[in-house]
Structures are given as structure tokens and as C-alpha cells.
Amino acid sequence: MGPRIGPVGEEPQIPGKDTKAMMSAEDTPGGKASPNPRDLRRSVFYSIKVGNTALIVFVSYFGSRVHRPRLIGYGAALVALAGLLMSLPHFISEPYRYDHASSVDMPQDFEASLCQPTTSVPAPTPAPSNSSCSSYTEAQHLAVVGIMFTAQTLLGVGAVPIQPFGISYIDDFAHNSNSPLYLGILFAVTMMGPGLAYGLGGLMLRLYVDIDRMPEGGISLTSKDPRWVGAWWLGFLVSAGAVALAAVPYFFFPREMPKEKHELRFRQRALAAAASSVSKGEDSPAEQNPGESQEKQDGLTQIAPDLTVIQFIKVFPRVLLRTLRHPIFLLVVLSQVCMSSTVAGMATFLPKFLERQFSVTASYANLLIGCLSIPSAIVGIVVGGILVKRFHLGPMRCGALCLLGALFCLLLSLPLFFMGCSTHEIAGITRQPGNLPGPDLFPACTEPCSCPLDDFNPVCDPRTHVEYLTPCQAGCTGRLVQEALDKSQVFYTNCSCVVGGGPVPAGACDSACSHLVLPFMLLVSLGAALASLTHTPSFILILRGVKKEDKTLAVGIQFMLLRVLAWMPSPVLHGSAIDTTCVHWAQSCGRRAVCRYYDHDLLRNRFVGLQFFFKMGSLACFALILVILRQQDKEEGTQVTVSTSGLQQQLLASGPGKKPEESRV
């Protein structure tokens, strides 16, 4: 429940936003949809009204039997309720207390964090108090976890009807040529959500977590202090209010809307043409082949809204198995699993990585991601779609475009391994080669201080760039406050472990690589744009590769696999890798709590290395796809050559026998 809950919780909604728009516009080489009843009769899944995961498939099945706009409104209301529940732990928990605050209004905390010379034997580290480690506190923590789990469940349930019902409602009552445009606008606006979430989170994290219950006299912590916690809960309240307001209009939409006028005019012209052909004595298609017409009618009936659940269950396994056996489909899904794993890891831990590696605040890290990475990804998706549309790229060229995008994305990841600094020296934890100042230069400088080991109130020696966990561990016995117009700066003096005795300022040492944060983010954003360039071409590989009647189901299986294989395990994998780079853990009630310090080199290598590994996997999959497509083209060319030569032989064989007959005639 850190300050990054807001943007991280919403990131798994990114994938799959523009699927339906592309499906309705990409089924034909020209980019326009031209549904054919002969194709529709093959399977119940060849329809934009069927969703993109197993749950959405069943939700879509019931869509025609309910008032879809109202259910969208109810779903949005559940999402708003989930947002309120996500912020509830802030109001039922005690105010945030940080270790020995460096504020002028709490002198007793300063005295506790300073070195208190004594001639007695140093006291051992005090055991955790009953108030902080009681069973009541543990039960309260479990209750908070339960509330947030319930909120996440409501969020998932409430979001289910929004996409399938909204898409089917637009597709049912929009003109066929306008539906892709409307859906494209819908998905483009939807993809702005994560960017807005990061921006909103960045603004909220600039505010103190207890802004609604500030202590008397306020606090003197700044957002750069490692003990700072931003108002993570405020973003949920703002988002919940916005969603609640957006839900209101849906309750006033009708259950069914009249078709667009363009659709009506189109049908009138089609009916007039059909009537004209009948008046001229031409046979209608039904008269020419009644059996075929009946088959078409049966096919349309299968995909009609009154499809029974039994029919759906009977057809589903057969089409599912056929889709999973397709090599192009499996490789494309595997490549997207790798890309989605990269995105999930970045979305979850990139803000934390930037904070630790470059000493930036949480709000600034979120703003960088929301203003650079998310827009770059959107631009990449748009450019990929434009390239496919403009040049009418077939499967082979789409595969080549995906391969190039993945390759350059991988190459841009290489400089990231070297953009960072090693962890500065932390007294008693890490040590830089050749550095002696600190406890090594002044042995036993903190022995008479009896410093508690579990306190955390860092100070930094700016001359040697050595950080101490507390002023006590720096041997400081005094403090000095410099008043300013907007804030107060605290310094500690008479520090026995510091050359010259100080003074040393309160707060952690800044990274020596802070100037690299913008170049780092520019490379990450450019890589995100190149990775997103493969989004539309990879969908084309699926839509053009599988059977036409299985396209919608294939996309649905794809999104289901992405969620199961990428969005769920990837954050856990990245988090575990990051935990292995911790060099100092804080203890709470005798158990490991939060990591105070990381090995920055190890953190960078493992985080960027894990991203590099997934990008390599995506590149390998696209390379295999290109090999398979080339092999298929060769086989098709061979079959065409054989059939052409056979036809020529038949013509030559029949030629001499016909000439005598022709001469006699």
C-alpha cells in the first residue's frame, strides 16, 4: 500500500483496448470490413459482439437480453465503489508516524535521534512494543488487506460489462463504415487513462499522506525525504468521483437506438437494387440455390442473439483446439506475452527504480512516465496502424515490421545497463573502495551513543558523500535549524564520526547520476514506441493467419493468455528480482519489512536485464514467425508451379486429338 498504488493498479487494463476496432476494419486487404454471410455461417465466433476473454464471451452472450447502457452504468458504479474502498484504509488507520521526525516542532524526537553520551554500558536494542506488535494491530492489518482485496474484486467485476456491452452497442446501431471509426476513437481515448493516472498520481504524491489530519505546527519533511509518504488515497477518491459522474448518463440511454441515417439510406439503395433485378426477371439468390440460402440462414441464426448456451458450449472446444494448434497464432501470442511482461514490470516498478537510481521524488517519477512513456506507446500503436493501412501490408511484411520493431527496441535497451551509479557509501552497510571517512576513520566513534538499530532518520555528509542511518550513528550531539521563507532546513552538529564535526544536513544523499534520469526516460520511451509499433501488425498476423471464422475467438484467447501468462506473474517476478538486490531491510515486529537500501548496480542490471530477456524472447518469436511465413510462401509457390505445369501437360495431350476433328469439320 505504497504511494504508487493508483497508477499500478490500473496498468493491467491497457492491453487489448483497440482489438475490436481493428477486427472490424482489418478483415479485408483494403482495410474495410465486408462481412459475408457465407463466412458467417462457419462459426458462432465470427462476430464483433463476442468478447475477448472467456468471461467476456459469456457476458456478451447475455448482452442482447439486457439493457446494455444501464448495465454499463451499474458496472461504472461498482468501479466507483471500488475506488472508495481502496481509499478506505487511510481513514480507518492511525496517522502515519515516521522515525524520529526532523521537524522543529518535535524536539523530543530530535533528542531521541541524537547521540546521548553515557558512561554506562550501551543498552541493547529495545524489543518491539506491545502497542505496535499486538494481535489487534495484526488483525487491523489483515482487515486492511481484506478491504483492498474486495475493492480489487469489485473493480474487476465492474469493468467486465463496460467493454463488451459498449462495443456491441456501438456496433449494433452505427453504420458499418462508421463503427470502426467510433471504436477507434473509443480505444484511443481509453488508452489515455494510464497516462492520466500517472499524472494524477504524480500530483497527489506531492501532498503529504495525512493532509486531512496534519499535526499541530505541520511537518518539515520534503517529498525528497525517504520517509515521505504521499497522499496515495486521494487519487482514488478523485477517480471514483469522476467515474460516478460518468456513469450517470448511461442510465438515460435507451435500450435500443435507431440505426444511423447512413445505414438506412444504404439499405434502401440495396433494397431498390434488389427490386430492380427481380423486376427484370432475374432470379434471386434464394431462387437460384434454395439449399445454400437455407445454409446461410442457419449460419446467421447460429450467431444470432438467441443462441442457446448448449449450442455455444458444443462449438467452443472444437474451435478452441483448432486455434491453439496454429503455429503463427501461438508464436504471436508468445511474443506478446514477452512484450506484456516487459510492460507489466515497467508499469509496476519503474517509478521505484527511478526513485532509487536517480534520487527523484515519487511524484516526479510518475509524471515522467505519464508524460513520456505512455504517449510514446500511443504514438507507436498509431504509427503501426498507419503503416499497415497505408502500404496494405500482408502477413510477410507485417512479420518483418514486427521483427524490426522488436530488434530496435532491444538495441535501445543496451545503453540502459550503463546509465546509473553505484550505491553511495552508507555507514555500517556499504563501503566504497578507498573511502575511509566515517566509522572506519574514527573507530568506536558511536560506542558511547547507544544508538537504536531500528531507527531511520538519515543524514548525509556532503563532503565525503557518506550517509548515516541516524544522526546518532554519525555521532551528532546537537542540532541547528535554518529558517527559510517556505521551509526549514535541519542540520546536525558536533558529529564525532564526521570530519570536522559537521554540520551535516538531514536527509539522504542525492545520487551522482540525477542528470541521467531524462536521457534514461527518453530511451525507455523510444523503446516503448518501437515495441508498440508491433501492436497492430501482430494483430494482423493473427487475423490473417487463423481461419476467418475463428478470428474473434483467437483474439479472445490471446487476451486471456496475456492476462494469465504476463500480467499476473510478471510483477511478481520483477518484484522478486528487485528484492534480491536489497542490502538493508527494516525490521518490524521482528520480521523483515521494507527495504531501506539497494545495491544500485545490481538493481539496474537485474531490472534492465529482466526486461532485456523478455525483449529477446519477443524478438526470437518474431524471427520464427518470419521463417514459417517464408516457408509457407515457398510451399504455396511450389503448389502453384505444379498445378500450372499439370494444366499445360493436359492441354498438350488433348491438343493433337482435337486437330483431326477440327480438320474434318
Side-chain angles (χ1 to χ4, degrees), residues 455-478:
D455 284 356
F456 185 66
N457 180 19
V459 296
C460 178
D461 183 358
R463 289 182 290 271
T464 60
H465 210 62
V466 176
E467 185 172 327
Y468 301 86
L469 293 180
T470 62
C472 180
Q473 294 194 11
C476 303
T477 59

Side-chain angles (χ1 to χ4, degrees), residues 41-334:
R41 66 189 171 100
R42 299 175 188 169
S43 173
V44 299
F45 300 105
Y46 187 64
S47 171
I48 197 172
K49 301 178 183 63
V50 181
N52 57 11
T53 60
L55 180 59
I56 297 181
V57 166
F58 288 99
V59 171
S60 301
Y61 162 71
F62 291 105
S64 60
R65 294 169 169 79
V66 297
H67 197 300
R68 286 174 287 185
R70 288 184 183 175
L71 278 185
I72 292 176
Y74 292 137
L78 281 179
V79 172
L81 178 61
L84 294 177
L85 285 178
M86 287 295 290
S87 64
L88 182 60
H90 167 73
F91 298 99
I92 63 176
S93 302
E94 296 180 356
Y96 170 61
R97 293 186 178 90
Y98 46 87
D99 294 334
H100 302 309
S102 55
S103 57
V104 294
D105 56 297
M106 294 184 179
Q108 68 276 12
D109 284 337
F110 282 118
E111 298 300 328
S113 64
L114 293 175
C115 175
Q116 302 293 329
T118 178
T119 57
S120 61
V121 179
T125 302
S129 63
N130 293 332
S131 61
S132 61
C133 299
S134 63
S135 58
Y136 170 78
T137 304
E138 293 292 327
Q140 190 178 33
H141 290 170
L142 291 177
V144 168
V145 174
I147 290 174
M148 302 192 76
F149 178 81
T150 303
Q152 289 286 349
T153 303
L154 288 179
L155 178 64
V157 173
V160 166
I162 296 177
Q163 182 173 347
F165 288 171
I167 292 173
S168 62
Y169 194 77
I170 292 175
D171 188 63
D172 282 348
F173 305 116
H175 185 269
N176 288 341
S177 62
N178 293 339
S179 178
L181 174 63
Y182 296 153
L183 295 177
I185 295 174
L186 170 66
F187 294 130
V189 174
T190 303
M191 289 191 64
M192 297 179 185
L196 294 176
Y198 275 112
L200 178 62
L203 293 176
M204 297 299 104
L205 292 179
R206 292 183 177 182
L207 306 176
Y208 185 62
V209 62
D210 289 325
I211 189 175
D212 57 329
R213 46 187 178 185
M214 294 287 286
E216 294 184 8
I219 60 170
S220 62
L221 284 181
T222 65
S223 59
K224 296 196 68 174
D225 194 294
R227 296 165 296 169
W228 173 273
V229 176
W232 60 268
W233 53 273
L234 194 54
F236 286 106
L237 289 182
V238 175
S239 300
V243 173
L245 291 177
V248 173
Y250 287 99
F251 293 98
F252 298 95
F253 276 90
R255 178 169 181 169
E256 295 183 355
M257 295 180 65
K259 281 282 188 179
E260 279 189 315
K261 293 182 179 180
H262 296 293
E263 175 70 13
L264 294 176
R265 292 174 184 172
F266 173 79
R267 286 190 172 184
Q268 289 174 357
R269 290 195 294 268
L271 292 175
S276 176
S277 63
V278 171
S279 65
K280 293 180 181 179
E282 298 179 0
D283 293 335
S284 64
E287 294 174 351
Q288 293 174 0
N289 194 342
E292 183 179 354
S293 175
Q294 183 63 36
E295 288 181 2
K296 293 180 180 180
Q297 184 64 31
D298 293 341
L300 291 174
T301 302
Q302 283 187 342
I303 66 167
D306 58 352
L307 175 69
T308 64
V309 177
I310 297 178
Q311 289 175 318
F312 179 87
I313 294 176
K314 286 181 178 179
V315 160
F316 185 82
R318 175 173 53 84
V319 182
L320 176 64
L321 183 60
R322 182 170 69 232
T323 304
L324 290 177
R325 287 179 175 177
H326 198 287
I328 298 295
F329 171 78
L330 287 178
L331 286 173
V332 171
V333 169
L334 188 57

Side-chain angles (χ1 to χ4, degrees), residues 457-520:
N457 180 19
V459 296
C460 178
D461 183 358
R463 289 182 290 271
T464 60
H465 210 62
V466 176
E467 185 172 327
Y468 301 86
L469 293 180
T470 62
C472 180
Q473 294 194 11
C476 303
T477 59
R479 61 183 177 88
L480 176 66
V481 180
Q482 273 191 358
E483 297 292 344
L485 295 177
D486 53 346
K487 63 179 180 179
S488 300
Q489 177 65 50
V490 178
F491 293 89
Y492 294 93
T493 59
N494 301 325
C495 303
S496 59
C497 298
V498 177
V499 177
V504 293
C509 295
D510 290 333
S511 171
C513 302
S514 299
H515 62 284
L516 294 178
V517 63
L518 284 179
F520 185 93

